[in-house]
Each structure stands twice: as C-alpha cells, then as structure tokens.
Amino acid sequence: MADTTLQFRSALISVYHKTGLDDIVKKLHALGVEIYSTGGTYDFLENLGIPAHKVEDLTSYPSILGGRVKTLHPKVFGGILGRRENTGDIAEMEQWEIPNFDLVVIDLYPFEETVQSGASPADIIEKIDIGGISLIRAAAKNFNHVVCIPSQNHYDVLNKMLMDGGKSTLQERQSLSADSFEISSRYDFAIWNYLSGGSVTPLRYGE
C-alpha cells in the first residue's frame, strides 16, 4: 500500500480569533513550514517575528471591497485543490506558479455571536464569512492531500500532528474533512435561520 502520510511543507492561515495561534505558528516555523496569511493574521505573525508571505503578494491583488475579497483567487484555491498525483494539475500549477498548500487553518467570522450582540443588520451581514467557508470546503474536499483545521477547537489535533514532526495520516485528514463539512453546514444553517426570521443559538463549531 502506498504511503499516505502527508508532511507539512506549506500552510495557509486565515483566522478571526488569534487565541492559541502563537504556539502553532512557532511550531510551524520551527519545522520549516512556509506560511502564507492574510490581513490581520499576517500582522499577528509579523508581531511574533514569524516570517510569512502575504496572500496578496501571491495573488498580485490587494484585499478589496472593505475586506470582503481577500483569498478568492485561483492561486489560492488552486494551491488547495490541486491533486498531487494528477499530471494535468501538476503541469497547470507549474505553468501558473501556484504553490501547494498542505495545511489550511481557518477560524470563521463570529456570525452567531454578532447576531446575539444586538448588532445592526448591516454589521451582521458583514459577519457572513465567504472566503473562510470557501477555504474550509476546498481543503476538506481535497483531504487526500491537504489537512483542514476548520476551527480553534481543532487546534489540539493540529498540535499533536506538529509534535509528531508536522505530518498527518489519511485517516486523520478524512476525519478532519468530515468535521469541516459539519461546521460548514451548521454555519450556513445559522445564516439561513437568521435570514428566515428564526432565532440563533451558538453552535460552538468543532465541538
């Protein structure tokens, strides 16, 4: 049987809450993992002294529309969805200079918490995560080649992988994929519930 162990060489990190991230990025850096990040996450890494690439440098596009569009670009999603054994995918990624992302770490905008805070409808709409949920779905789809960490509640799983030298098994990746799609579906349900006039109950993603 072919070895399905994945060694982390590159990571894409885009999180809303930064709690617990410092320990993770320090371990990634110590393992020589190349990190790409967005906006506030990049600033957080820079303040820690952790080298990282800005996603906007990869895409050649800045964050636009007040932050509504940051990661929605073929160079980002190609790096997540590329099939490592597919010669066509490999050739296209080389042609367009798309890096492989082995690890994707996401923490979604706090939609339910914003609703419960009594925020205005406009503020609530802005907390509907588009890029983050798309990154989760892409990484979860390509679990054969990518580890998806879809919430802060999965940091303990990631830390175990990092303590094991920054690698994962196929079984671990598939389990995280299942969790990721559960989070995605529950997040969308919360949005549907709000827009249809229902009440919003915190879902505590990943638990």
Side-chain angles (χ1 to χ4, degrees), residues 85-144:
E85 80 290 349
N86 185 293
T87 55
D89 287 6
I90 293 169
E92 285 188 304
M93 293 177 74
E94 290 177 352
Q95 177 184 0
W96 299 109
E97 299 180 338
I98 299 173
N100 285 312
F101 293 119
D102 306 308
L103 170 67
V104 175
V105 181
I106 303 296
D107 176 53
L108 295 169
Y109 288 172
F111 176 78
E112 298 96 325
E113 291 89 340
T114 304
V115 173
Q116 289 191 323
S117 74
S120 69
D123 288 340
I124 290 170
I125 293 302
E126 289 309 310
K127 285 299 184 288
I128 296 177
D129 205 312
I130 302 300
I133 205 74
S134 300
L135 291 169
I136 286 175
R137 289 176 62 84
K141 174 176 180 173
N142 203 23
F143 67 86
N144 279 316

Side-chain angles (χ1 to χ4, degrees), residues 38-189:
T38 59
T41 305
Y42 178 86
D43 294 339
F44 179 81
L45 296 174
E46 189 174 43
N47 289 335
L48 287 176
I50 303 295
H53 302 283
K54 290 183 178 180
V55 165
E56 62 188 55
D57 291 337
L58 172 65
T59 63
S60 299
Y61 276 87
S63 172
I64 62 172
L65 307 182
R68 280 188 163 196
V69 181
K70 296 188 286 286
T71 57
L72 298 170
H73 191 279
K75 282 201 172 183
V76 175
F77 282 85
I80 296 171
L81 287 164
R83 292 161 292 188
R84 311 297 167 82
E85 80 290 349
N86 185 293
T87 55
D89 287 6
I90 293 169
E92 285 188 304
M93 293 177 74
E94 290 177 352
Q95 177 184 0
W96 299 109
E97 299 180 338
I98 299 173
N100 285 312
F101 293 119
D102 306 308
L103 170 67
V104 175
V105 181
I106 303 296
D107 176 53
L108 295 169
Y109 288 172
F111 176 78
E112 298 96 325
E113 291 89 340
T114 304
V115 173
Q116 289 191 323
S117 74
S120 69
D123 288 340
I124 290 170
I125 293 302
E126 289 309 310
K127 285 299 184 288
I128 296 177
D129 205 312
I130 302 300
I133 205 74
S134 300
L135 291 169
I136 286 175
R137 289 176 62 84
K141 174 176 180 173
N142 203 23
F143 67 86
N144 279 316
H145 308 291
V146 180
V147 170
C148 183
I149 302 297
S151 75
Q152 287 182 305
N153 293 320
H154 292 83
Y155 282 2
D156 58 339
V157 178
L158 176 55
N159 269 308
K160 289 177 183 177
M161 294 176 180
L162 295 175
M163 293 301 291
D164 192 32
K167 56 190 178 184
S168 72
T169 65
L170 179 59
Q171 183 178 7
E172 289 171 332
R173 297 194 297 277
Q174 183 167 339
S175 177
L176 285 166
S177 175
D179 286 356
S180 298
F181 281 111
E182 180 188 18
I183 286 173
S184 174
S185 65
R186 292 169 70 187
Y187 193 81
D188 284 344
F189 177 83

